[in-house]
Structure formats: structure tokens, C-alpha cells
């Protein structure tokens, strides 16, 4: 059971460890800033429940799910010659029902909604991008709300007026933090797509077979 789900479980463990590390390091940094401002430290538990921790967490999550959403949708229509991250060059588009094994072409192990026509098939055919896009939007909203609260707290510590959510999402502070994360995600995707054309990792599903030519597209090892 553990072996069959090893990829998911290991990365969830990495997530947990990094969350704990972020919380501990972030709490120490926050308390140092509190002391420098002549205020009392808040401690780990209070920090984890604060808007400062929430905005950093949501900021990372929304950029990651934006990356997934855009990559899932883009790879329907766009290709990269030689990359295992791309479909074959002649596979652009949504593909036929027979190729996608839906409706009357569905096999015995197919999900129930893949067997049906109408709205169920339409939704299920786009369920991955819908979920990824939905999580991105929720995380983006959470980031903006928590960011507005954290920014307002800083303003009040400096004896300045707090801001509303609408004011905050129009500020350079918000978009600087947001776009800073987005560009790193876009760079990571472009790098993975292009590097995998020429470089190999033996046995990885994200790499072509070691002996495959550089122009072989849509094949993994």
C-alpha cells in the first residue's frame, strides 16, 4: 500500500516538513521584528494563526496551482519538439472520443462519467483544469485577504491608517509579491520542458529514454 502510493506520500511528507520549518523560522523572524519595534514576541502558535503566516503560505500555493492549471491547459494545444512534457506533434487538440476512450469507446475500467454523454462527460473531460484553476483562485483570494490584514497590521504599528481589501489588491505591494512568484513558476515550467529535450534521467517518467533522439517527442522513459 505504501509502495504503491510512494510518490504522493513522500511529497506530502516533504510538504509537512517544509511547513514545520517555515513556521519555526517564520516565527523567529517575526518575533525578532517585534522586538526591534519595541513590541512583545508572539510565539510559534500565535504566529501560525497570524495573517503574516497565512499570506506567505497562500502566496506560494496560488502560484503553484496557477502553474499546474496553465500547463494542463496549454499542453492541450501547444507542443515542444523533443520534449517528453509535450504531446506528439500530431496530437494537438482535444483528440477524438476513440483516442480518449470515452462514451461507447470506454473500456471496462473507465470512470462512470467517462462513459456518459452530456454535461457529465463535458465536466469530467475538463475536471483536472477545473480543480487546479479553482484551487488557484481560492488561494489567490486567501492571499489577498491575508495580505490586506498583514499590511494593515504593519500600517497600524507605524501609526498609519489600515487599508481595505480593494485598496490592497490595487497596490504595488500586492502585485510585486504576486508577480514575483508567478515568474519563478513560469521559468521552472519552461526550463523543465526545454531541458528534457536534451537531458535525461534514467528511469524517470519525466525523461525520455536515455538513448532516445533529441527530436523524439511525447515519449517518456
Amino acid at each position: 500500500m505504501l509502495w504503491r502510493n510512494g510518490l504522493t506520500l513522500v511529497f506530502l511528507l516533504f510538504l509537512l516538513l517544509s511547513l514545520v520549518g517555515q513556521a519555526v523560522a517564520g516565527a523567529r523572524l517575526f518575533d525578532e521584528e517585534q522586538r526591534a519595534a519595541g513590541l512583545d514576541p508572539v510565539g510559534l502558535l500565535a504566529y501560525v494563526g497570524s495573517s503574516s503566516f497565512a499570506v506567505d503560505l497562500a502566496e506560494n500555493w496560488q502560484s503553484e496551482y496557477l502553474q499546474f492549471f496553465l500547463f494542463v491547459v496549454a499542453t492541450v494545444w501547444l507542443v515542444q519538439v523533443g520534449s517528453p512534457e509535450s504531446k506528439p506533434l500530431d496530437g494537438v487538440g482535444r483528440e477524438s472520443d476513440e483516442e480518449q476512450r470515452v462514451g461507447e469507446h470506454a473500456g471496462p475500467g473507465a470512470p462512470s462519467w467517462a462513459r456518459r454523454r452530456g454535461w457529465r462527460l463535458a465536466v469530467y473531460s475538463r475536471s483536472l483544469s477545473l480543480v487546479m484553476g479553482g484551487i488557484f483562485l481560492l488561494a489567490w483570494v486567501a492571499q489577498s485577504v491575508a495580505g490586506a490584514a498583514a499590511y494593515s497590521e504593519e500600517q497600524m504599528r507605524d501609526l498609519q491608517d489600515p487599508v481595505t481589501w480593494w485598496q490592497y489588491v490595487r497596490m504595488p505591494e500586492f502585485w510585486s509579491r504576486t508577480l514575483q512568484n508567478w515568474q519563478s513558476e513560469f521559468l521552472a515550467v519552461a526550463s523543465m520542458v526545454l531541458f528534457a529535450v536534451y537531458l535525461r534521467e534514467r528511469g524517470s517518467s519525466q525523461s525520455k529514454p536515455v538513448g532516445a533522439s533529441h527530436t523524439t517527442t511525447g515519449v517518456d522513459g
Side-chain angles (χ1 to χ4, degrees), residues 174-196:
F174 173 71
W175 287 106
S176 175
R177 293 176 63 109
T178 299
L179 293 172
Q180 181 177 233
N181 274 349
W182 288 5
Q183 54 88 13
S184 65
E185 303 302 336
F186 300 152
L187 175 62
V189 171
S191 298
M192 185 62 184
V193 170
L194 189 58
F195 288 170

Side-chain angles (χ1 to χ4, degrees), residues 70-148:
L70 291 178
F71 192 61
V72 166
V73 174
T75 50
V76 175
W77 305 102
L78 303 177
V79 294
Q80 172 60 55
V81 62
S83 179
E85 302 294 326
S86 166
K87 293 195 295 185
L89 302 182
D90 59 356
V92 173
R94 291 289 183 184
E95 303 177 357
S96 68
D97 288 352
E98 183 176 3
E99 290 173 314
Q100 286 291 307
R101 291 176 286 180
V102 298
E104 63 274 16
H105 304 289
S112 60
W113 280 28
R115 301 172 179 276
R116 303 190 180 188
R117 295 290 180 179
W119 68 270
R120 291 180 180 83
L121 179 57
V123 169
Y124 193 67
S125 297
R126 296 164 177 81
S127 56
L128 185 58
S129 61
L130 289 173
V131 169
M132 294 295 186
I135 295 175
F136 158 68
L137 289 175
L138 289 174
W140 184 88
V141 171
Q143 176 203 346
S144 65
V145 172

Side-chain angles (χ1 to χ4, degrees), residues 151-163 171:
Y151 185 82
S152 292
E153 289 174 3
E154 293 177 2
Q155 289 286 97
M156 289 186 287
R157 278 201 299 265
D158 296 334
L159 303 179
Q160 299 182 46
D161 293 333
V163 297
M171 294 176 62

Side-chain angles (χ1 to χ4, degrees), residues 193-213:
V193 170
L194 189 58
F195 288 170
V197 175
Y198 303 103
L199 306 178
R200 309 286 189 269
E201 187 63 39
R202 185 168 185 160
S204 174
S205 65
Q206 303 305 299
S207 168
K208 294 185 291 188
V210 176
S213 72

